[in-house]
Amino acid sequence: MSTIPLITYETPRPGVARIELARPEARNAQSSELLYQLNDGFDRAAADDTVRAVVLTASGPHFSAGHDLTETTMDETFDRRPRVGTWCGHHLPGAEGVLAKESEIYLGFSERWRNLPKPTIAAVQGKAIAGGLMLAWPCDLIVASDDAEFIDNTVDMGVAGAEFFNHPWELPPRIAKEMLFTSGALTAEQAHRFGMVNHVVPRQDLIQVTLDLAERIATKPSLALRLAKASVNAAQDAQGRSSAMQTAFANHQLCHSHNQQLFGLPIDPSFTLARK
């Protein structure tokens, strides 16, 4: 089992847990192990009755570069018991293995974190790319530094959007479409104007402002916080978010299968060539 810590966990303020992505040398690219460690961190915060608000931060210049594209198979050298449902078979050939892996560590984890029974706040600096959105978007609130950029470049990869397809609930539909069609970046100010981000602050103030907000929230009664969050999430789901998410995830898997048949890879190889 690997013992390399890819997250850190602390309680810096009364009632506040802070989980930090700690893979700055890879721009916090999401290996399977990082995601399982992050899930364990969220579980720890959820189980601690003294914690009433959770802050997600990231070390280094960027929040997250997204999925670790250098990871071609699921690393089984660490404790990888299924945490979401009973998904298994990550090493099976064909679409079955890809579906199994992504159902748990991408869509499954993001949905699970969205429904954590405590308020969560993401503090985003630098770039949040594709899978990076899938760490910020499940959080209830987002505080962004003034240099933050939000990007979903999956269409460049021949894929119809990130697995946690929350785009239409984060942005107006035409803005979400432009973001996808162009693989362009939304600045922090644009994201704030469209309602995706709660606050934009100078980079040097990001952590202080986010912790202050979390500490203010943590003074509220825990049951009221939990049920207020559940009520807003239920309203989104009643609008069709859950079923739309499943349709988008199926489309995502179809794109992987299409690319695999054409190129022998789950993404269009022109994307990886363009990065070299």
Side-chain angles (χ1 to χ4, degrees):
M1 179 185 298
S2 172
T3 58
I4 300 173
L6 301 179
I7 69 160
T8 61
Y9 184 100
E10 62 174 348
T11 50
R13 302 282 186 88
V16 177
R18 176 182 177 182
I19 304 170
E20 181 160 88
L21 308 178
R23 202 185 178 203
E25 74 287 351
R27 301 295 188 258
N28 297 308
Q30 299 156 25
S31 63
S32 301
E33 184 166 8
L34 182 146
L35 292 172
Y36 276 95
Q37 288 189 22
L38 178 57
N39 187 65
D40 289 344
F42 277 122
D43 278 356
R44 178 178 174 183
D48 186 345
D49 290 340
T50 68
V51 169
R52 295 190 179 184
V54 184
V55 170
L56 176 63
T57 64
S59 58
H62 298 291
F63 182 73
S64 177
H67 301 338
D68 187 345
L69 297 181
T70 67
E71 182 181 85
T72 56
T73 61
M74 175 73 84
D75 180 2
E76 295 283 3
T77 63
F78 60 98
D79 178 16
R80 201 225 55 73
R81 292 167 295 169
R83 310 299 207 275
V84 181
T86 55
W87 280 104
C88 56
H90 295 162
H91 286 298
L92 291 174
E96 184 176 5
V98 176
L99 175 64
K101 173 182 175 179
E102 297 198 352
S103 292
E104 174 153 304
I105 72 170
Y106 297 148
L107 179 59
F109 277 166
S110 292
E111 284 287 313
R112 193 167 192 262
W113 303 333
R114 174 183 179 264
N115 293 308
L116 195 84
K118 297 178 180 181
T120 55
I121 310 172
V124 178
Q125 82 280 8
K127 289 181 170 58
I129 302 175
L133 300 173
M134 295 167 50
L135 303 183
W137 280 351
C139 292
D140 300 303
L141 308 178
I142 299 176
V143 180
S145 65
D146 51 13
D147 67 343
E149 292 183 307
F150 301 87
I151 303 163
D152 187 346
N153 59 350
T154 48
V155 170
D156 272 351
M157 305 179 201
V159 179
E163 293 90 341
F164 184 70
F165 197 85
N166 217 45
H167 308 61
W169 279 267
E170 301 289 347
L171 297 162
R174 287 190 176 86
I175 302 303
K177 289 176 183 177
E178 182 176 357
M179 182 187 198
L180 288 161
F181 296 169
T182 66
S183 296
L186 282 179
T187 67
E189 288 294 345
Q190 288 173 320
H192 181 260
R193 186 166 73 247
F194 295 130
M196 194 184 92
V197 163
N198 295 86
H199 304 282
V200 178
V201 300
R203 175 72 169 262
Q204 66 268 22
D205 297 335
L206 178 64
I207 301 305
Q208 178 75 31
V209 170
T210 305
L211 290 176
D212 287 349
L213 178 59
E215 187 173 10
R216 178 183 174 190
I217 291 170
T219 65
K220 312 303 181 185
S222 59
L223 180 60
L225 288 171
R226 176 175 186 165
L227 297 183
K229 172 173 180 169
S231 295
V232 175
N233 283 3
Q236 286 186 311
D237 291 342
Q239 294 168 2
R241 191 204 67 91
S242 297
S243 58
M245 185 74 70
Q246 290 300 321
T247 297
F249 184 67
N251 290 338
H252 180 99
Q253 297 305 316
L254 177 58
C255 288
H256 279 326
S257 182
H258 174 76
N259 290 327
Q260 193 72 43
Q261 291 181 53
L262 287 183
F263 311 119
L265 295 169
I267 64 174
D268 190 316
S270 63
F271 174 77
T272 55
L273 290 172
R275 298 173 73 208
K276 292 182 179 179

